[in-house]
Amino acid sequence: MSMNMPAAPAPLSATAALRDSAGQVLGQATFKQTGMNVQMTVTVSGLTPGQHGMHIHEYGRCTPGVDAATNTVVAFGGAGGHFDPGMSRNHDSPAADDKYGHGGDLPMITVGADGNGSASFMTQKVSLTSMTGILNRSIVVHAMADDYKSDPSGMSGARERCGIITRDNFAARDYLLPGAQDFPEGIAYDAARGLIFTGSAANGDIYAVNAQSGQTSLFSRGGALGRASALGMKVDTQGRLWVAGGATGAVSVLSPDGSPVATLMTPPSPNPYLNDLAAAPDGSVYVTDSTRPMLWRVRDMKIEPWLDLGQTPIKYGPGINLNGIVATPNGRYLLTVQLNTGELWRIDTRSKAVTRVMGGLMHGDGLLLDGRTLYVARNADQVVSKVQLSADYASGQMILEEPARGLRYPSTLIMVGGDLVSTQSQLDKLTGGTPETPFKLTRFRKF
């Protein structure tokens, strides 16, 4: 007996056209994921003979900008500093582990007397997916050699060539958000009106985005009835928007025009963090709490404790615990992911029995259930994972990990037609660092 197995996905690859400050293309870099390694090949022309430092930079912008080292505007300063996924804050050799040196520290390229140069090498310091992903970042070639020790860039001088690392053969569309502090964490879709809703983890602002045109408008200003944060979101059958309020310990319900309907407060207790919601067919709404081991339920516009997780196999620890949650179509089960352990759980809504489905989903944040397929936004890992579930939802298998064009801390996702739309929340920059603006949602084909 034969089985039709899905075809293996094509290896991830990317290209960067290397330009000078006038915009002329004078080189190319190619990138191919090969197991745990990335094969890089770089060619340049029009440079002075000798060795030139070469680095991956944080942002996908080859525009003038401020060089933090000199506080002056320089060519390609918009690319930011060196990509530093290990947060080493230290320039080092290409052989150094990311926790000791920038992930973006690359071997030098040697240019001959004719002004042409080339380099080809393998590296494990970066990847085209996961926490070390370099898609939609930039590669910069400098004027001088790299001493591999001096911060921030090894005394390698001016930025002479820059290229944005663009994934090959991948179509995606971005919805741009207008605010400088948007940090879009939650997302929901009103199919009847063709509107995507997304909310700010920083200030509670909620935007409505036309899924076809991309036009964006402010749907509800943050601060309304105490909503200082907008995390998980769902649109119900009446077109109302439900919003988990994080540390406020509240769920907000908004009418289809954005007017407040209700603010549902959980009982006062230390350290609340209402993170995501799932709507069941019977009208119940289940709400995860990432810091208190309790699953909450809303019925008849009243929120109540529903399941004490301390009496289940789900064990809370430091950090963010239960996060994303979805209900199966018949409402019999809830599926929820524990961010700090990577475990996926099934909860029976009749018996309240808890079953461990699988592990391996570290940094699992928002969930989207499509039949027996579960999509998991894994924020710090910068991917959306595809999980195939058994008929009873009691077990699952990881199938694919998709980085799109370069996701920046994807926190959750929705389905619009045959496409997925993911937030790029950049929550890792919420309490420190400089986010890349404009903030955006990214739409790409379901995989």
Side-chain angles (χ1 to χ4, degrees):
M1 184 177 74
S2 63
M3 294 180 63
N4 292 324
M5 300 298 291
L12 285 172
S13 63
T15 305
L18 298 176
R19 302 176 185 271
D20 64 10
S21 58
Q24 184 178 4
V25 176
L26 293 170
Q28 179 178 268
T30 61
F31 309 80
K32 184 177 181 180
Q33 190 76 42
T34 305
M36 300 297 292
N37 298 287
V38 172
Q39 172 70 50
M40 294 191 193
T41 300
V42 184
T43 59
V44 293
S45 62
L47 294 178
T48 57
Q51 291 185 310
H52 293 254
M54 189 163 57
H55 313 111
I56 304 295
H57 284 245
E58 178 77 12
Y59 302 126
R61 295 194 296 252
C62 289
T63 56
V66 176
D67 181 353
T70 62
N71 200 32
T72 58
V73 175
V74 299
F76 309 130
H82 289 184
F83 178 44
D84 190 19
M87 301 182 67
S88 68
R89 298 178 176 85
N90 182 56
H91 184 67
D92 211 318
S93 82
D97 188 276
D98 283 356
K99 64 183 177 182
Y100 300 118
H102 302 143
D105 297 337
L106 300 179
M108 288 185 280
I109 187 168
T110 301
V111 174
D114 61 356
N116 298 323
S118 64
S120 185
F121 53 89
M122 295 276 258
T123 180
Q124 288 190 359
K125 286 178 69 67
V126 295
S127 68
L128 299 185
T129 183
S130 80
M131 298 174 74
T132 58
I134 58 173
L135 291 173
N136 199 29
R137 302 190 192 278
S138 58
I139 180 170
V140 173
V141 180
H142 290 257
M144 297 186 294
D146 189 335
D147 68 11
Y148 294 135
K149 61 182 180 181
S150 300
D151 286 321
S153 58
M155 302 292 288
S156 54
R159 306 176 184 196
E160 295 208 335
R161 301 286 183 271
C162 181
I164 299 171
I165 302 168
T166 303
R167 183 172 172 182
D168 296 332
N169 304 314
F170 188 85
R173 174 188 181 184
D174 291 329
Y175 298 107
L176 304 182
L177 302 179
Q181 293 292 314
D182 285 335
F183 295 96
E185 205 280 348
I187 190 169
Y189 183 51
D190 184 343
R193 294 191 289 168
L195 292 178
I196 299 168
F197 295 100
T198 190
S200 170
N203 57 32
D205 284 351
I206 297 174
Y207 295 103
V209 182
N210 185 295
Q212 182 173 354
S213 69
Q215 182 177 356
T216 300
S217 61
L218 184 65
F219 181 72
S220 177
R221 175 73 66 186
L225 295 181
R227 191 187 68 243
S229 183
L231 304 184
M233 300 174 133
K234 292 291 183 294
V235 174
D236 67 15
T237 56
Q238 300 178 50
R240 300 176 301 187
L241 183 66
W242 294 66
V243 185
T248 65
V251 172
S252 300
V253 186
L254 305 177
S255 71
D257 66 1
S259 302
V261 173
T263 299
L264 311 175
M265 294 293 303
T266 56
S269 65
N271 199 28
Y273 203 81
L274 301 189
N275 205 325
D276 202 8
L277 319 97
D282 67 356
S284 299
V285 175
Y286 296 89
V287 188
T288 57
D289 195 320
S290 296
T291 51
R292 298 178 295 182
M294 179 64 68
L295 195 63
W296 304 89
R297 184 177 67 175
V298 179
R299 298 191 77 172
D300 301 322
M301 284 297 170
K302 295 179 181 178
I303 193 165
E304 60 185 5
W306 183 74
L307 177 59
D308 181 352
L309 299 169
Q311 307 301 313
T312 74
I314 301 174
K315 303 304 178 188
Y316 269 37
I320 299 295
N321 290 271
L322 288 192
N323 196 324
I325 187 170
V326 291
T328 58
N330 63 4
R332 174 66 187 275
Y333 300 113
L334 304 171
L335 295 169
T336 182
V337 67
Q338 191 168 354
L339 182 141
N340 54 359
T341 67
E343 293 175 303
L344 181 68
W345 301 94
R346 187 195 75 174
I347 301 172
D348 190 317
T349 55
R350 298 177 187 172
S351 67
K352 300 187 179 180
V354 175
T355 303
R356 182 182 183 274
V357 178
M358 62 180 291
L361 297 170
M362 283 300 297
H363 306 118
D365 199 329
L367 303 179
L368 170 66
L369 184 61
D370 178 27
R372 295 285 185 266
T373 298
L374 183 72
Y375 294 98
V376 185
R378 294 172 57 197
N379 53 35
D381 291 335
Q382 302 187 111
V383 296
V384 173
S385 293
K386 180 179 182 178
V387 172
Q388 193 65 46
L389 297 165
S390 61
D392 60 358
Y393 305 96
S395 63
Q397 181 181 4
M398 174 91 73
I399 302 298
L400 287 173
E401 292 182 350
E402 177 56 67
R405 288 189 307 197
L407 296 172
R408 301 291 183 261
Y409 225 82
S411 53
T412 194
L413 66 163
I414 55 170
M415 189 173 295
V416 177
D419 296 341
L420 303 177
V421 183
S422 174
T423 60
Q424 298 212 44
S425 70
Q426 300 188 73
L427 293 182
D428 54 329
K429 306 291 179 61
L430 184 58
T431 57
T434 303
E436 187 169 3
T437 55
F439 287 95
K440 57 192 176 184
L441 316 175
T442 296
R443 179 172 176 171
F444 52 98
R445 293 295 296 173
K446 183 173 68 172
F447 60 96

